[in-house]
Every structure is written in structure tokens, then in C-alpha cells.
Amino acid sequence: MADWLDRIKWDAQGLVPVIAQERGTGDVLMFAWMNREALQKTAELGRAVYYSRSRGRLWYKGEESGHVQQVHEIRLDCDDDVVLLQVTQLGHEPGIACHTGRHSCFYQRLDTQRGEWQAVDPVLKEPQSIYR
């Protein structure tokens, strides 16, 4: 059953990059990492489970914030080294995927005229009220 995990080209740390994409809108919500156990649990539970490099452990998306990602599809790219999750972001409407309280982690756009990054998406919920 776990043969599908052998197809993935894990990096030297045993990790694979993962992109979470919102199923309904196609929005790219976030980028994270998974190890073999995280990907297997994600497939089993139908809920996003990542590997937190800073914490050195599995991270069940929403374990602190309540902003869980329901996984509908797991896809693998043509080089077998990047995973795409198609998810529904739960826990707040509209969905919050970013720890900054925004819908997406990709909320900064480069202003090429000024040569600086600008936040272009609103904070939907203040992080202080999400994380205690």
C-alpha cells in the first residue's frame, strides 16, 4: 500500500515541498514541507499534516488556530519531487491559511517601480486572536 510513497524523490532530509491550493478558487494558499509520515497521514486522514522544520515534528494544520485543511486531492509533479494538495480551508470564512491572519501566505507583491514588497491582501483576523 505504501509503494506510492516510494515514487517520491525525497530530499537529503527526507522531505518533499508541498503546495496547498484552494479547491474552489485555485488560490495558492501556502508552501510547506512533508516527510513520509506526514504525507501518509494526510492521505489516511484527508486532512493536511505537514512536517515543521522549526519544531522538528509533525504539524497538523489547524492544531492551534483551528484553520484545518480538508484534502480533496493529492497530486505529484512530473519530476516526482513536489506535491500539490487541493484543499478546502476550514475554520473561518473566508478561509485563513496564513499565520498572519490572511487568506494566503502569498500576500506580498513586488512593486517594481519602487523596488519593494507591498502587502496587498487584508488581514482577515488578527493573529493575536488566533494564537494564544
Side-chain angles (χ1 to χ4, degrees), residues 108-122:
Q108 299 176 89
R109 181 173 57 211
L110 179 62
D111 180 333
T112 56
Q113 301 296 319
R114 296 182 176 181
E116 61 186 34
W117 295 101
Q118 294 187 336
V120 294
D121 294 338

Side-chain angles (χ1 to χ4, degrees), residues 68-83:
V68 174
Q69 290 175 344
Q70 177 186 2
V71 177
H72 301 284
E73 246 181 27
I74 302 172
R75 294 184 176 220
L76 185 62
D77 80 326
C78 59
D79 294 322
D80 299 335
D81 63 359
V82 178
V83 171

Side-chain angles (χ1 to χ4, degrees), residues 44-75:
E44 289 171 4
L45 299 174
R47 172 185 175 183
V49 179
Y50 298 106
Y51 181 79
S52 172
R53 296 181 302 165
S54 60
R55 299 175 194 155
R57 66 171 177 83
L58 294 185
W59 160 44
Y60 290 73
K61 177 70 174 150
E63 66 188 22
E64 292 179 27
S65 66
H67 301 150
V68 174
Q69 290 175 344
Q70 177 186 2
V71 177
H72 301 284
E73 246 181 27
I74 302 172
R75 294 184 176 220

